[in-house]
Amino acid sequence: MATGTHNTVSIPSVEASGKGHCRSLLALAFETVSATERNMVKKGLLERLQDGVVIGDGGFVIALEKRGYVKGGPWTPEVVVEHPDAVKQLHREFMRAGSDVMQTLTFYSTDDKLKLGGNEAGKNYTCSQINENACRIAHEVAAEGDVLVAGSVTQCPSYTQGLGKEAVQANIRTQMKSFVKNKVDFIIAEFFMHVEEIEWVIEELLKSGMPVAATMCIGPEGDQAGVSPGQCAVRMARAGANVVGVNCLYDPIIIIDTIRLMKEALDAEGLRPFLMTQPNGFFTEGADKTGYLGVPEYPFAMETRTVSRFDVHKYARAAYDLGVRYIGGCCGFEAYHIRAISEELAKERGRLPPASQKHEPWGGTLKQSAFGYIRERASEEYWRNLVPSTGRSVPPTHPVKAGATRKTS
């Protein structure tokens, strides 16, 4: 870890109270602590998970598309070469919000994906170029705090094209060369829809000797081949993954339902990998097995489906109580969502993130509003029980089917 750069963190000075929730955060005092003074030797992923909670980061490609740096459709990460400062800024926002991991922006960066459908990214850049830049950016930001760098690999078109195990693993090997060379701390395999593919990928990743976290983008119905969530988890664990779980495609509620099924199956088999959840930040009521990709608003009108920071408080608590220890977000999760995880679990972690210096949970800062009717909203009861409106009086073009409606709390 680099020296000379300080990371401001908050240390609780009094005991937080109330049913395991962080109720007394207004009483937490802030101290400035040098990251290098706190940990001269950086703990690895498995040590951190053994000791407590690891908070992941949020979504990159959706956020950077909105900011004008990523092309919606291909969703490839050439932005790390074209606009590295934009990526660096987003990393910093997540770290300030409490993220313990800087995940390389290498989503869809395999050579076969970069060239798919005539994508210009494949003509201009290689997987190696993108991964090298992504690693450098993540390391530069990670050096500013006590955080880890994770190399990220995703599904390959080679699998769905039927090219077989060797073709899939060859694409993964290309990615891994950059991660090994740049000494990332561990590897995340994410956004896999078929358990067979992720088994092949885990096998290849383990050759690096680094810890492997494996997550599938599935819901309670299981993977695209009909394999149940429980069996997916068991197969990932038996393949050697140190951490298993779910990411993306579904909202926090469905992700919690899915990881519960995974945990039940793992427990029944006597398997004890660490558990990980990184849902997307959009409610997916009415979605089919394709998750948020199949809702009519995807990808350019998802704002009205966005989960609130208060929804994320509930998600973080539910995940923690279930035994999940790597808790983060995926597409649609912004820095304020990650801050909500950090604040909900502040008692368990013994600190607040730097971003909480400008924020009090459950609307506490509204007490300082100039307007009385806004000051009345400065309570947990108000925000915990609020079901937000879309702000539109006209019904949606594609209403959620009544049979698919479920509680969002």
Side-chain angles (χ1 to χ4, degrees):
M1 185 168 61
T3 60
T5 304
H6 289 177
N7 184 32
T8 301
V9 299
S10 55
I11 308 297
S13 59
V14 299
E15 183 181 358
S17 62
K19 296 183 180 180
H21 288 263
C22 205
R23 306 295 194 192
S24 302
L25 292 181
L26 299 184
L28 296 182
F30 288 95
E31 292 181 12
T32 300
V33 179
S34 164
T36 54
E37 289 170 358
R38 285 185 286 116
N39 281 306
M40 295 303 292
V41 178
K42 185 168 63 173
K43 286 184 179 180
L45 174 68
L46 302 183
E47 291 177 277
R48 294 178 190 226
L49 289 170
Q50 191 66 48
D51 291 345
V53 183
V54 169
I55 295 181
D57 59 8
F60 274 78
V61 292
I62 293 286
L64 291 170
E65 189 280 329
K66 291 179 178 179
R67 300 180 186 189
Y69 296 108
V70 164
K71 183 186 292 185
W75 304 109
T76 46
E78 59 271 18
V79 60
V80 298
V81 180
E82 297 172 344
H83 300 284
D85 287 343
V87 180
K88 194 178 296 185
Q89 175 62 25
L90 195 48
H91 275 305
R92 285 199 177 103
E93 289 176 20
F94 286 130
M95 185 168 70
R96 179 173 170 78
S99 294
D100 296 310
V101 177
M102 299 292 99
Q103 188 170 328
T104 59
L105 179 48
T106 46
F107 179 81
Y108 275 173
S109 71
T110 56
D111 284 320
D112 56 354
K113 178 61 180 178
L114 291 172
K115 299 171 184 175
L116 194 67
N119 186 8
E120 292 180 358
K123 300 176 183 177
N124 300 324
Y125 310 107
T126 65
C127 167
S128 296
Q129 285 176 290
I130 288 174
N131 284 17
E132 289 285 330
N133 274 44
C135 288
R136 177 182 55 78
I137 292 167
H139 271 299
E140 286 179 9
V141 178
E144 300 170 9
D146 180 26
V147 298
L148 302 174
V149 174
S152 172
V153 301
T154 54
Q155 59 178 267
C156 306
S158 297
Y159 180 81
T160 52
Q161 291 168 354
L163 299 182
K165 181 177 180 178
E166 176 52 37
V168 169
Q169 291 186 330
N171 276 293
I172 298 301
R173 276 195 295 276
T174 301
Q175 287 192 286
M176 284 303 299
K177 288 178 183 177
S178 295
F179 297 146
V180 171
K181 174 184 174 183
N182 288 281
K183 298 180 180 179
V184 302
D185 296 299
F186 68 101
I187 305 296
I188 298 176
E190 65 173 5
F191 205 73
F192 286 85
M193 298 180 178
H194 298 85
V195 69
E196 181 182 55
E197 182 183 10
I198 202 169
E199 285 177 310
W200 296 348
V201 170
I202 292 168
E203 178 183 297
E204 188 64 33
L205 297 180
L206 288 172
K207 295 175 184 176
S208 70
M210 288 184 273
V212 173
T215 59
M216 297 185 67
C217 51
I218 60 175
E221 295 181 2
D223 80 350
Q224 293 297 310
V227 180
S228 71
Q231 282 306 301
C232 287
V234 167
R235 288 172 63 171
M236 286 189 286
R238 286 183 172 155
N242 307 100
V243 185
V244 304
V246 275
N247 85 292
C248 208
L249 277 200
Y250 295 99
D251 63 44
I253 297 171
I254 295 178
I255 289 293
I256 291 296
D257 290 342
T258 307
I259 197 69
R260 182 180 291 109
L261 294 172
M262 287 186 161
K263 184 177 187 299
E264 289 171 356
L266 290 165
D267 288 347
E269 295 294 328
L271 298 169
R272 297 288 185 271
F274 291 106
L275 300 179
M276 176 176 178
T277 53
Q278 298 209 112
N280 73 36
F282 307 105
F283 282 118
T284 49
E285 289 189 56
D288 58 19
K289 207 170 182 178
T290 61
Y292 86 129
L293 303 180
V295 302
E297 297 85 2
Y298 176 84
F300 300 133
M302 295 293 291
E303 286 78 7
T304 56
R305 287 181 175 261
T306 301
V307 302
S308 74
R309 64 191 71 188
F310 308 111
D311 296 315
V312 174
H313 272 274
K314 299 173 187 177
Y315 150 64
R317 180 55 53 189
Y320 183 85
D321 289 348
L322 194 59
V324 180
R325 290 298 177 265
Y326 191 124
I327 303 174
C330 200
C331 297
F333 260 66
E334 299 278 356
Y336 70 93
H337 291 119
I338 299 302
R339 181 179 62 189
I341 299 174
S342 302
E343 291 181 343
E344 179 62 30
L345 300 177
K347 178 181 177 183
E348 288 79 5
R349 287 163 58 79
R351 64 187 184 276
L352 284 164
S356 291
Q357 293 180 29
K358 294 291 185 180
H359 182 257
E360 292 177 13
W362 304 105
T365 55
L366 298 182
K367 293 176 182 177
Q368 300 172 20
S369 174
F371 303 100
Y373 61 91
I374 294 179
R375 291 196 295 272
E376 291 174 358
R377 301 172 190 168
S379 74
E380 179 175 339
E381 181 182 9
Y382 178 87
W383 294 108
R384 185 174 286 280
N385 296 317
L386 180 71
V387 178
S389 164
T390 65
R392 302 173 190 267
S393 60
V394 295
T397 304
H398 303 280
V400 174
K401 296 178 181 178
T405 302
R406 45 98 218 246
K407 291 176 65 177
T408 57
S409 62

